[in-house]
């Protein structure tokens, strides 16, 4: 990408950082576990292949506090036929199988993340000094270095526009690089999380989420696990509650109104909402639609679904072997799921179950957080 000469240095960093954002082992685990045989057909040999799935929770394993058991099973990952808002990277739909696992009932909250930081002294990426030598590896060759006054710790914050925006692809109109923005000051230096213990922690990049997981003996969900859990035991619907878009505001924190000019707050919130503000899905999981985006462990690769669909049913797929996004060739992205309070019908509509986007591993923003999962083997 060539930066126009008319763009001043302080916006160069904004463009650099904004490139990172898009809103567009079971059989051996335990013999007391119910193993349900599943059969699929190998497309090459046309022969049935049999495998087992961990379905029921072992009786000798306790459900961790704040988590719920997601029973193993098969599902169709990707866009459902009736979803008119589905994007090409959500297609084609393909059959996937996952073993049972435990998942956080809510996104990781400010209180939970604060406990982690207090016990470990961890410093998030948004709080660290910026290394231009490292950053310039992720931008087109020849990109000029922004002024040192701009290369200061910070992150991305959202600001409504004053008038309608005809070009919704130009997200620099509402995303701004804000020095001093981090998980303790999610909207910038003047903001605080005081009194917001039960809100989802944000301004979290992939490295930060992984650090928390390592401390908590958890991991991030795979994209397949996340989407399977989001279904809540249903199948074939656009949203976790069904196909009815008219009840969105009763089920999720999203952008209601003209994006990014006016949010009617029909759902009750302008920006982030406390966890458990809306009804859970069939598995008892909250905020699997809207509120804040959630990191997964999968690399974002636009060709992955096509490649996976050409094979037989996949058990516990781990995603693409490498990241690939032709629109962000200089960036390594992971898949984020669930959408956020900024999602609207006119701008990504990512409160849909199949919605997926890529985000740079070192990118953080005021609408990105995470939740964790654990397997039986991890807890043993």
């Amino acid at each position: 990408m060539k930066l126009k000469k008319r763009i001043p240095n302080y916006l160069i960093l904004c463009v650099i950082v904004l490139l990172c954002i898009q809103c567009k082992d079971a059989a051996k685990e335990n013999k007391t576990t119910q193993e349900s045989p599943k059969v699929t057909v190998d497309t090459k040999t046309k022969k049935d292949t049999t495998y087992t799935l961990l379905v029921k929770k072992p009786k000798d394993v306790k459900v961790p506090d704040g988590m719920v058991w997601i029973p193993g099973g098969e599902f169709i990952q990707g866009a459902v036929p009736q979803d008119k808002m589905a994007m090409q990277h959500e297609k084609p739909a393909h059959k996937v199988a996952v073993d049972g696992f435990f998942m956080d009932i809510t996104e990781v909250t400010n209180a939970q993340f604060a406990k982690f930081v207090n016990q470990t002294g961890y410093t998030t990426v948004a709080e660290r000094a910026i290394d231009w030598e490292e950053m310039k590896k992720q931008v087109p060759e020849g990109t000029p270095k922004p002024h040192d006054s701009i290369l200061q710790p910070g992150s991305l914050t959202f600001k409504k526009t004053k008038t309608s925006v005809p070009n919704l692809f130009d997200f620099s109109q509402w995303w701004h690089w804000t020095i001093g923005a981090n998980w303790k000051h999610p909207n910038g230096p003047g903001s605080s999380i005081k009194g917001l213990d039960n809100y989802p922690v944000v301004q979290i990049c992939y490295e930060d989420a992984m650090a928390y997981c390592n401390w908590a003996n958890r991991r991030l969900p795979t994209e397949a696990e996340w989407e399977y859990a989001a279904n809540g035991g249903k199948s074939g619907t656009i949203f976790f509650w069904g196909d009815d878009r008219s009840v969105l505001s009763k089920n999720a924190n999203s952008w209601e109104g003209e994006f990014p000019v006016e949010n009617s707050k029909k759902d009750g919130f302008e920006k982030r909402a406390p966890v458990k503000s809306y009804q859970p899905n069939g598995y008892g999981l909250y905020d699997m639609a809207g509120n804040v985006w959630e990191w997964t462990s999968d690399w974002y690769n636009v060709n992955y679904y096509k490649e996976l669909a050409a094979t037989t049913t996949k058990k516990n797929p781990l995603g693409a072997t490498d990241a690939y996004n032709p629109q962000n060739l200089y960036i390594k992205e992971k898949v984020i799921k669930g959408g956020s309070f900024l999602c609207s019908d006119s701008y990504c509509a990512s409160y849909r179950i199949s919605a997926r986007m890529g985000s740079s591993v070192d990118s953080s923003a005021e609408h990105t957080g995470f939740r964790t999962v654990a397997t039986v083997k991890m807890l043993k």
Side-chain angles (χ1 to χ4, degrees):
M1 184 182 86
K2 293 184 179 180
L3 295 172
K4 296 181 180 179
K5 291 183 179 179
R6 65 181 178 85
I7 300 180
N9 279 346
Y10 78 91
L11 279 183
I12 291 174
L13 182 59
C14 293
V15 175
I16 290 170
V17 180
L18 286 169
L19 281 171
C20 304
I21 292 292
Q22 303 284 326
C23 186
K24 324 182 236 181
D25 321 79
K28 296 181 180 180
E29 291 237 33
N30 193 304
K31 296 195 175 184
T32 64
T33 300
Q34 176 176 316
E35 296 178 339
S36 177
K38 301 291 181 181
V39 178
T40 187
V41 177
D42 188 303
T43 56
K44 293 182 179 179
T45 65
K46 302 300 181 183
K47 295 180 180 179
D48 289 347
T49 58
T50 303
Y51 58 84
T52 58
L53 282 180
L54 179 65
V55 179
K56 289 186 176 181
K57 182 187 72 67
K59 294 180 179 179
D60 60 341
V61 178
K62 181 182 177 181
V63 178
D65 291 341
M67 304 188 90
V68 67
W69 174 254
I70 309 297
E74 287 184 335
F75 79 111
I76 302 299
Q77 183 179 20
V80 294
Q82 70 271 26
D83 187 356
K84 304 304 180 185
M85 294 182 287
M87 301 181 185
Q88 281 303 118
H89 65 177
E90 301 170 34
K91 303 175 182 178
H94 48 279
K95 186 179 290 187
V96 166
V98 295
D99 281 318
F101 58 97
F102 299 98
M103 191 174 209
D104 289 339
I105 294 173
T106 71
E107 296 128 337
V108 173
T109 64
N110 286 322
Q112 291 172 311
F113 198 79
K115 182 179 180 181
F116 155 63
V117 170
N118 290 337
Q119 291 188 11
T120 64
Y122 181 80
T123 301
T124 62
V125 171
E127 299 171 275
R128 303 175 197 167
I130 295 174
D131 184 350
W132 171 246
E133 293 303 313
E134 184 63 31
M135 177 178 283
K136 71 180 183 180
K137 298 176 184 178
Q138 304 178 51
V139 298
E141 186 176 353
T143 299
K145 178 184 177 182
H147 193 274
D148 287 343
S149 64
I150 302 302
L151 289 178
Q152 300 296 318
S155 193
L156 291 169
T157 59
F158 170 82
K159 185 177 181 180
K160 291 192 296 186
T161 59
K162 295 181 179 179
T163 59
S164 298
V165 176
N167 178 18
L168 290 177
F169 291 101
D170 182 10
F171 38 82
S172 65
Q173 297 172 96
W174 54 85
W175 280 115
H176 302 272
W177 174 254
T178 303
I179 294 174
N182 53 56
W183 75 276
K184 291 180 287 189
H185 308 286
N187 304 323
S191 62
S192 171
I193 59 171
K194 185 176 181 180
L196 305 180
D197 283 356
N198 64 334
Y199 278 65
V201 65
V202 293
Q203 298 293 10
I204 298 299
C205 76
Y206 184 79
E207 181 180 330
D208 302 329
M210 288 296 293
Y212 178 94
C213 287
N214 291 336
W215 168 78
N217 188 31
R218 302 287 185 264
R219 64 170 172 81
L220 292 175
T222 64
E223 182 179 10
E225 288 172 336
W226 196 102
E227 190 164 324
Y228 176 71
N231 277 281
K234 293 179 180 288
S235 62
T237 62
I238 301 173
F239 315 105
F240 75 76
W241 60 86
D243 290 336
D244 188 358
R245 164 63 178 79
S246 68
V247 296
L248 173 64
S249 61
K250 296 180 180 179
N251 290 278
N253 180 17
S254 66
W255 188 280
E256 299 278 8
E258 183 185 356
F259 183 86
V261 183
E262 185 61 38
N263 188 340
S264 69
K265 297 185 285 187
K266 184 179 179 181
D267 53 36
F269 298 93
E270 175 82 27
K271 290 193 173 185
R272 296 170 297 279
V275 299
K276 296 186 179 181
S277 291
Y278 304 89
Q279 68 172 351
N281 72 0
Y283 288 142
L285 301 169
Y286 293 85
D287 292 321
M288 297 299 279
N291 211 18
V292 301
W293 284 100
E294 300 179 17
W295 288 103
T296 74
S297 61
D298 289 29
W299 288 113
Y300 177 71
N301 187 315
V302 296
N303 298 322
Y304 176 61
Y305 274 21
K306 293 179 182 178
E307 296 171 355
L308 193 63
T311 65
T312 57
T313 301
K314 287 291 185 180
K315 177 184 176 182
N316 299 326
L318 300 178
T321 56
D322 199 5
Y324 176 67
N325 183 352
Q327 296 181 352
N328 281 336
L329 291 175
Y330 296 89
I331 303 295
K332 291 289 188 179
E333 298 175 314
K334 290 285 187 175
V335 174
I336 52 177
K337 296 283 287 183
S340 77
F341 62 88
L342 294 178
C343 289
S344 70
D345 286 350
S346 64
Y347 186 60
C348 87
S350 291
Y351 29 70
R352 298 171 297 106
I353 295 172
S354 65
R356 59 198 300 262
M357 291 293 165
S359 186
S360 169
V361 293
D362 56 2
S363 173
S364 57
E366 70 165 277
H367 70 340
T368 307
F370 69 109
R371 77 176 72 211
T372 72
V373 299
T375 64
V376 169
K377 184 176 181 179
M378 290 171 66
L379 297 181
K380 285 190 172 184

